[in-house]
Amino acid sequence: PVVFDATHSVKFPGVRVVSSGGDREMVPVLSRAASATAVHGLFLETHPDPERAKSDGPNSWPMRDMRKLLETLQELDLIVKDKIASGDI
């Protein structure tokens, strides 16, 4: 099985003095790209307030936005895997 780590993929280790940096805006883009390749799973770190997280805040996806992202990823996953099963791709 292939599992894609979307939040650590946008992490910038050593950018900050005390912690790592990151670009969470790319989490949905990379997650959709991974889903389009029919990965078996996704790893996503989330936090209620990423700016105040003690670790990996800059690359964590906000919890308030998680449901919408997961719904989109689930729809995409179903479409891709259905097309694979039917032989369309």
Side-chain angles (χ1 to χ4, degrees), residues 6 26 33 35 53 63 70 73-74:
M26 294 302 295
S35 293
M63 197 174 288
L70 290 175
L73 296 173
Q74 184 177 31

Side-chain angles (χ1 to χ4, degrees), residues 29-77:
V29 175
L30 293 174
S31 297
R32 289 191 307 265
S35 293
T37 66
V39 293
H40 297 93
L42 290 167
F43 177 86
L44 298 153
E45 283 194 70
T46 189
H47 193 277
D49 186 0
E51 298 306 322
R52 296 174 49 93
K54 293 183 180 186
S55 175
D56 292 339
N59 56 288
S60 292
W61 191 243
M63 197 174 288
R64 70 181 176 277
D65 300 328
M66 187 59 85
R67 178 183 293 273
K68 182 178 178 185
L69 177 59
L70 290 175
E71 287 171 351
T72 299
L73 296 173
Q74 184 177 31
E75 288 177 36
L76 182 56
D77 183 67

Side-chain angles (χ1 to χ4, degrees), residues 1 16 31 33 45 55 67 77 79-80 82 84 89:
R16 296 178 170 183
S31 297
E45 283 194 70
S55 175
R67 178 183 293 273
D77 183 67
I79 291 167
V80 170
D82 182 54
I84 291 170
I89 55 174

Side-chain angles (χ1 to χ4, degrees), residues 6-34:
T7 49
H8 284 110
S9 294
V10 301
K11 187 175 185 175
F12 302 148
V15 171
R16 296 178 170 183
V17 175
V18 180
S19 63
S20 296
D23 184 6
R24 81 174 61 94
E25 297 302 317
M26 294 302 295
V27 169
V29 175
L30 293 174
S31 297
R32 289 191 307 265

